[in-house]
């Protein structure tokens, strides 16, 4: 059992092994809809596995998705924004997508001003003018976006 093995390695001070095993354990936890546990395991993996940039980014995104699935929108928004910051400079579309996902989760969680600010930054990153949007207009835009899904 990868989950038990992760905690066994942690208890034994084998933190790097725990971090690597936690990646597998997190996926198993998600498959059983144990999203809070998956988030904890992703945290262990990110902290101890000493992963390179792309692998760490992939885990950050999986962690954010687990937070969304666990109905933790505000935390998911922050996780997506952290992932966006970790995105390489040669991947502006991915960075923009992660910022947009972060903004969406912030808006869902009621952080309207912050979500709109992040959405504005994502638009600016792609050369779009988003400065005139007020908080009220942003809420209306968000409702319109939801209705078109």
């Amino acid at each position: 059992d990868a989950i038990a093995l992760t905690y066994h390695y942690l208890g034994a001070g084998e933190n790097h092994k725990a971090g690597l095993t936690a990646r597998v354990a997190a996926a198993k936890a998600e498959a059983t809809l144990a999203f809070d546990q998956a988030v904890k395991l992703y945290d262990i993996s990110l902290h101890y596995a000493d992963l390179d940039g792309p692998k760490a980014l992939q885990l950050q995104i999986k962690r954010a998705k687990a937070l969304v699935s666990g109905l933790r929108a505000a935390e998911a928004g922050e996780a997506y924004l952290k992932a966006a910051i970790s995105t390489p400079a040669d991947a502006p579309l991915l960075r923009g997508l992660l910022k947009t996902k972060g903004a969406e989760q912030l808006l869902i969680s009621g952080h309207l001003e912050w979500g709109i600010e992040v959405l504005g930054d994502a638009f600016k990153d792609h050369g779009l003018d988003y400065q005139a949007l007020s908080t009220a207009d942003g809420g209306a835009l968000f409702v319109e976006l939801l209705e078109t899904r």
Side-chain angles (χ1 to χ4, degrees):
D1 178 24
I3 296 171
L5 191 55
T6 297
Y7 290 107
H8 171 77
Y9 282 142
L10 279 177
E14 297 281 345
N15 295 340
H16 182 70
K17 285 183 181 178
L20 295 174
T21 306
R23 289 173 52 191
V24 175
K28 289 185 178 196
E30 273 191 277
T32 62
L33 308 181
F35 301 115
D36 287 340
Q37 187 173 37
V39 170
K40 290 176 188 173
L41 291 162
Y42 284 129
D43 286 339
I44 290 169
S45 188
L46 286 164
H47 188 73
Y48 293 116
D50 193 30
L51 301 171
D52 64 358
K55 288 181 182 175
L57 178 60
Q58 182 183 37
L59 281 187
Q60 286 178 321
I61 294 169
K62 287 182 178 185
R63 180 181 180 276
K65 289 179 180 179
L67 286 164
V68 171
S69 297
L71 304 177
R72 294 164 60 181
E75 292 173 80
E78 290 182 44
Y80 276 123
L81 296 180
K82 185 175 180 182
I85 291 168
S86 301
T87 304
D90 64 348
L93 291 177
L94 177 58
R95 185 180 313 110
L97 175 66
L98 294 172
K99 281 184 178 181
T100 302
K101 285 181 174 285
E104 176 184 33
Q105 293 304 310
L106 292 171
L107 291 167
I108 287 170
S109 68
H111 296 281
L112 297 179
E113 289 183 26
W114 187 12
I116 290 168
E117 179 183 331
V118 170
L119 197 54
D121 287 345
F123 275 51
K124 286 178 196 172
D125 288 350
H126 294 283
L128 300 171
D129 183 13
Y130 196 69
Q131 294 174 349
L133 191 60
S134 69
T135 302
D137 292 337
L141 174 63
F142 182 64
V143 170
E144 185 179 322
L145 289 172
L146 288 177
E147 289 173 350
T148 60
R149 283 187 155 187

